[in-house]
Amino acid sequence: GESAGQELGLGRVPAEKLIDAIETKLGLLILHVDTPSGVSGAAVKLATGDAILVNRRESPGRRSFDIAHELFHILTWASLRPSRVDRKDPSGYKAKRTEQLADHFAGALLMPSSEIKPKWDRKGDLSMQAWVSATATQFNVSPDAVCYRLMALGLVDANVLKESRGAKVPKNRVVPPAFSRRFIERLRSEEHTSELQ
């Protein structure tokens, strides 16, 4: 996750540049869509190119994490093909393990240890709830994502989830449009190409 972030040139707050980097450097499409209940994101392999679908009704922090999670599935498709439908509770060891790996990748991509560890070291006497809220806001992820990243880095144990209950990030009610500019451009390009053939 962290090395992918460096290769993509995501900088200190990866969520800010994530969509543009995925679309321009990897040639994937990111589509904000209205998904069925229980589906927050999906990786899609098509003959015309790969895409990541994300539920546009989720919070910005959740959308960032879902995009990074689905990027893992696109990058590892050949060796760790995801379940046909991205389920909230995957069944079977391999499916659960693949989802865990995708979550760890997303956490490392969006919250590099080089950025989050020093911030943790400077926490001081700030309450866990306040620190998690501020960190989630800074990295544009959910408070839960921050807690799980801290646990993955071995900085805290599961009790941090109890201590951070109630951590919140400012609400952003802006819902992204269903069709991105890049998607429309690709449609126009393919339409023009098919007319020429």
Side-chain angles (χ1 to χ4, degrees), residues 63-136:
R63 288 194 308 260
S64 297
F65 195 86
D66 290 339
I67 290 167
H69 176 106
E70 298 306 333
L71 175 61
F72 173 86
H73 288 313
I74 293 284
L75 295 175
T76 63
W77 195 277
S79 56
L80 294 171
R81 184 168 293 195
S83 302
R84 186 145 177 87
V85 174
D86 191 5
R87 296 183 184 94
K88 191 173 183 179
D89 297 310
S91 59
Y93 174 78
K94 185 177 178 188
K96 286 180 182 175
R97 185 65 185 137
T98 300
E99 293 307 305
Q100 286 175 339
L101 290 171
D103 283 347
H104 285 297
F105 173 88
L109 182 69
L110 296 171
M111 296 168 278
S113 60
S114 61
E115 296 297 324
I116 204 160
K117 280 184 178 179
K119 187 168 178 57
W120 175 253
D121 291 341
R122 294 188 305 270
K123 176 184 173 288
D125 59 0
L126 194 63
S127 76
M128 195 63 195
Q129 201 177 67
W131 187 87
V132 167
S133 293
T135 303

Side-chain angles (χ1 to χ4, degrees), residues 46-69:
L46 301 169
T48 56
D50 301 336
I52 294 172
L53 308 181
V54 65
N55 184 342
R56 67 193 194 117
R57 306 284 173 189
E58 297 280 10
S59 68
R62 178 65 192 260
R63 288 194 308 260
S64 297
F65 195 86
D66 290 339
I67 290 167
H69 176 106

Side-chain angles (χ1 to χ4, degrees), residues 137-166:
T137 300
Q138 177 188 343
F139 286 101
N140 194 21
V141 295
S142 70
D144 282 350
V146 171
C147 294
Y148 286 115
R149 181 66 174 138
L150 291 175
M151 287 190 292
L153 290 170
L155 299 174
V156 298
D157 60 24
N159 288 329
V160 74
L161 293 175
K162 293 176 191 165
E163 293 176 38
S164 63
R165 292 239 190 278

Side-chain angles (χ1 to χ4, degrees), residues 1-11 14 18 21 25 105 108-110 112:
E2 291 187 46
S3 61
Q6 291 168 351
E7 287 181 35
L8 290 171
L10 297 180
L18 185 62
K25 295 182 179 179
F105 173 88
L109 182 69
L110 296 171

Side-chain angles (χ1 to χ4, degrees), residues 20-33:
D20 187 57
I22 289 173
E23 289 186 328
T24 58
K25 295 182 179 179
L26 299 178
L28 304 175
L29 279 177
I30 308 290
L31 298 176
H32 292 89
V33 297

